[in-house]
Every structure is written in structure tokens, then in C-alpha cells.
Amino acid sequence: MQHPDARTVVTDYVTLLAAGEREAAIALFAEDATWSYPGDLALSRTWRGKQEIFGDFLGRIGALFAADGLPVITLTHVLADGPQAVAEWTTVGTAANGAAYENHCLGVFTVTDGLITAVREYLDTDHVARTLLA
């Protein structure tokens, strides 16, 4: 069976997540996927498995935003080579504490058999600390 390439899978993931299609976005991840979040924040570590990634990690980040200020995600670039794709996106919203949040993010995604198996994210963790975690 022919699986979609890494560029397609990653573009679909970010587009679905940005559109609020959470379940469809989650379905693009392998059960044992990992997501590495940089820095020395309370959120910084390698999250393992769909439940940790979407329940514990991304769910916890979502709770840091105001109910009426949930982040808008905009995919700006995707470059792919074989099983890896590098995606760049912006995230703009309002933190639960009222602070304006705008971060430029980059993720290195690994795709195997049409599913995301690993993500290494890079972003301004100082901005996260000063706005979302302040």
C-alpha cells in the first residue's frame, strides 16, 4: 500500500490542527510517537505516545491560553526529504493571563508508513516563559 509522503502528512497535520480538527490530526500520529520540546521549562522534555503528546503536553499548553484567545496556527513553510519534513508555523493568541502571544515555531517531523513517529520542535522558549507561564 502506498502511503502519503512526509510533506503531505505534515502539511495535513498542521492544517487539521489549525482548523480545530483535533481527532483527525491525532490520527496522523503513530501510537508510540515522540515529541521533543526544547529548553528548561516545565513542559520541556520528550513526550512519548499519543496520550502524552495530545493529552498531557499539547492539552496543557492549550490550557495556558485564554478561552477567547486560543492560538491561531498558520503554516508558513514545509520542506521535505525522504521520511523527514521540516515545518515552520506561527502561533498567535492571548495567554490566560492576558499577555499577547506570538511565536515562530519549527518542527522536524519523521514520518513512517504515513504516520508521524517523531517531532523535534524549536521555538522561542523565553517568549513562552514570559507570556504563557508568567
Side-chain angles (χ1 to χ4, degrees):
M1 177 164 93
Q2 182 70 19
H3 295 287
D5 64 8
R7 179 186 183 89
T8 300
V9 172
V10 171
T11 300
D12 288 351
Y13 164 69
V14 179
T15 302
L16 288 165
L17 196 62
E21 306 266 346
R22 181 177 161 84
E23 293 308 313
I26 292 170
L28 293 174
F29 274 72
E31 286 299 325
D32 60 349
T34 60
W35 189 302
S36 298
Y37 193 78
D40 58 2
L41 306 173
L43 298 166
S44 300
R45 68 180 180 102
T46 297
W47 300 85
R48 299 183 183 283
K50 281 182 170 183
Q51 175 54 45
E52 275 195 11
I53 292 169
F54 290 96
D56 302 336
F57 170 53
L58 295 177
R60 190 180 305 175
I61 289 175
L64 298 173
F65 287 90
D68 62 351
L70 292 177
V72 174
I73 299 167
T74 304
L75 181 65
T76 54
H77 294 95
V78 178
L79 302 170
D81 183 21
Q84 291 202 308
V86 177
E88 181 182 19
W89 66 93
T90 58
T91 305
V92 178
T94 304
N97 61 21
Y101 180 83
E102 181 175 345
N103 215 334
H104 301 272
C105 309
L106 184 131
V108 179
F109 291 76
T110 301
V111 176
T112 305
D113 296 332
L115 296 174
I116 297 167
T117 57
V119 182
R120 288 186 322 273
E121 184 175 356
Y122 300 92
L123 73 162
D124 182 350
T125 55
D126 184 58
H127 182 64
V128 173
R130 287 183 289 108
T131 56
L132 296 181
L133 301 175

